[in-house]
Amino acid sequence: MKKLLLITPILVLFLLTACTGNISSPIPTSDVSDVATIVAATLSAIPTTASPVTNPPPVPSTQPENNPSGSSSAPVILLLTSQKGSYGDIYTWNVASGSLKQLTSWGYNFVPRVSPDGKWLAYLSMSQAAVSAMIQGQAMNVYTLANIWLLNPYTEEAIRIAEQPQNATYANGNLIGRGSPVWSPDGASVAWIEDDVLGERVAIYTLSSKSTTTFPLNLPPGCCEGASSELFFGRSGIAITNQEGTPTTTNEVIYVFNTLGQQLAKITSGGNFSIRVGWLADGNNEYLGGYDMNGVLTGVDPLGDPQLVTPQSYPEMYNPNAPDGLSAYPVKYPSQWALTRHGQKLAEINDIWDASDISIAPDGQGIVYQQKVEGANVPGGKVFAYLVNGQTVPIIPQLRVLAVTWGATAWRIHN
């Protein structure tokens, strides 16, 4: 790592004094009492359009936008932290030079998701009110009380597309909980599930109009503790899973809506099916892909015959921006994967924890993956980039790796 951002508590206080209204400055967490004082003193609202990077803030309109189509220039996106927990800051890693660049400094961000064209990251970021409540000991599980940002990793332009109500606090109970943002297949919009005292709803932000529409969900209460709904955005609609039933008999129920909120389908799995890969393309058909109770990949057409279908070929992960590039398919889900191109096996990787630990470059010329490590708080992690020329490049940041991504991914049946 060629450049590491070091900020002392004294410098933080200086930045907070000099840059009023900007809450993106790093907050050291070694002294909880000092942090609580800092947070309490900086409860001013975040500006609607600003970068979460500070010292100094970038100037989005004057920075050139590099072409993200080449894997040598398209950076690997990392979520890193020096602390415990599942939140951190977003960095880029240049595969060619091995250099690391920090993009955010808030410290309470979650896994970014890359847009289909590779130009934007969408991610959850804990709200200031939630962080204040957590640091002051008012609550622990406040991670979903978050805002949502779009961040361009090339220009460093950042846009907050979902925020908390003005003057909302944890104690008042009027904060909004949000799920992870999900891109539409064409990259024109971002959708997520959110809830507050008014109920649960789906929100859809459209990039061209810079506006958000919502529709209510009105789903039965989920079962059981810790269960949460998940959203999958496909050409056929927005699919949402809901765990329903009792602690002894729980079924995954799948609801499909169009972007206007009209319910198109409802499928009850009966315990025989669980979505794992989301929308799965098979030629002109689109299924919801998952695994049955025997671990066999199956699909269901929510808008047609609800019977489970076993594909004739294997499923593969690919980048929709480069459909003829590298792809990956699970030999033994989720730990063992084959890396392929045009159906030819090039390499095999092991010790994968989840499909989300694999991502494909925007031009399809590389695959980045993270292997399991012993101990959740190990710095560095086992992260590698496999390139189309057969070279495997290690990615070694001197921080703990929470997540890694390179480009948008989708699933299809290999034909």
Side-chain angles (χ1 to χ4, degrees), residues 4-5 26 53 89-92 100-105 156:
L4 182 62
L5 184 63
V53 189
D89 275 308
I90 299 172
Y91 294 71
T92 59
L100 186 70
K101 181 179 181 180
Q102 186 171 355
L103 296 185
T104 68
S105 54
E156 299 181 23

Side-chain angles (χ1 to χ4, degrees), residues 317-353:
M317 179 191 298
Y318 72 105
N319 191 311
N321 198 48
D324 296 325
L326 293 174
S327 59
Y329 74 87
V331 177
K332 184 179 181 181
Y333 188 87
S335 60
Q336 185 177 0
W337 293 70
L339 308 184
T340 66
R341 187 176 192 185
H342 304 309
Q344 180 181 356
K345 183 176 176 181
L346 304 177
E348 197 166 283
I349 57 176
N350 298 282
D351 299 325
I352 304 300
W353 182 263

Side-chain angles (χ1 to χ4, degrees), residues 52 75-79 89-93 101 103-104 109-124 148-161 181-183 190 205 207 359 362 404-408:
V76 171
I77 310 299
L78 298 166
L79 182 68
D89 275 308
I90 299 172
Y91 294 71
T92 59
W93 178 277
K101 181 179 181 180
L103 296 185
T104 68
N109 306 309
F110 294 92
V111 179
R113 300 195 177 188
V114 186
S115 62
D117 63 6
K119 294 182 179 180
W120 290 97
L121 309 177
Y123 64 96
L124 280 177
I148 296 179
W149 288 82
L150 296 183
L151 173 63
N152 186 315
Y154 301 95
T155 66
E156 299 181 23
E157 177 187 3
I159 305 169
R160 189 177 57 185
I161 63 173
V182 180
W183 288 96
V190 182
Y205 176 85
L207 275 69
S359 184
V404 58
T405 187
W406 204 347

Side-chain angles (χ1 to χ4, degrees), residues 113-310:
R113 300 195 177 188
V114 186
S115 62
D117 63 6
K119 294 182 179 180
W120 290 97
L121 309 177
Y123 64 96
L124 280 177
S125 182
M126 283 179 63
S127 65
Q128 188 171 355
V131 172
S132 178
M134 181 177 66
I135 292 176
Q136 295 174 9
Q138 298 177 5
M140 293 297 293
N141 298 321
V142 293
Y143 307 138
T144 63
L145 303 177
N147 302 322
I148 296 179
W149 288 82
L150 296 183
L151 173 63
N152 186 315
Y154 301 95
T155 66
E156 299 181 23
E157 177 187 3
I159 305 169
R160 189 177 57 185
I161 63 173
E163 58 186 328
Q164 297 296 326
Q166 189 174 7
N167 300 323
T169 65
Y170 178 82
N172 291 339
N174 54 355
L175 293 173
I176 301 174
R178 293 186 171 99
S180 297
V182 180
W183 288 96
S184 62
D186 60 2
S189 57
V190 182
W192 63 89
I193 300 172
E194 63 181 32
D195 67 274
D196 57 13
V197 293
L198 300 177
E200 191 175 40
R201 57 193 172 270
V202 170
I204 304 174
Y205 176 85
T206 303
L207 275 69
S208 60
S209 62
K210 298 181 181 180
S211 62
T212 302
T213 59
T214 64
F215 63 81
L217 278 181
N218 300 322
L219 303 182
C223 176
C224 298
E225 185 177 356
S228 60
S229 298
E230 190 169 3
L231 185 150
F232 301 91
F233 208 149
R235 299 192 312 268
S236 301
I238 297 174
I240 296 174
T241 63
N242 194 42
Q243 305 300 321
E244 300 177 11
T246 66
T248 55
T249 307
T250 304
N251 293 322
E252 183 177 76
V253 181
I254 305 166
Y255 298 85
V256 182
F257 302 87
N258 64 19
T259 55
L260 299 178
Q262 298 171 320
Q263 183 174 317
L264 305 178
K266 174 185 175 181
I267 299 173
T268 302
S269 66
N272 297 323
F273 175 78
S274 180
I275 294 182
R276 287 293 180 271
V277 303
W279 289 102
L280 175 68
D282 187 3
N284 294 326
N285 300 318
E286 191 174 38
Y287 301 95
L288 286 169
Y291 288 84
D292 64 16
M293 57 192 307
N294 298 316
V296 177
L297 177 86
T298 54
V300 61
D301 179 3
L303 305 182
D305 187 348
Q307 298 300 315
L308 297 180
V309 176
T310 301

Side-chain angles (χ1 to χ4, degrees), residues 60-103:
S61 60
T62 62
Q63 295 192 25
E65 181 168 349
N66 296 325
N67 184 356
S69 62
S71 59
S72 60
S73 61
V76 171
I77 310 299
L78 298 166
L79 182 68
L80 305 177
T81 183
S82 60
Q83 308 293 328
K84 296 181 180 180
S86 58
Y87 43 79
D89 275 308
I90 299 172
Y91 294 71
T92 59
W93 178 277
N94 186 295
V95 175
S97 65
S99 59
L100 186 70
K101 181 179 181 180
Q102 186 171 355
L103 296 185

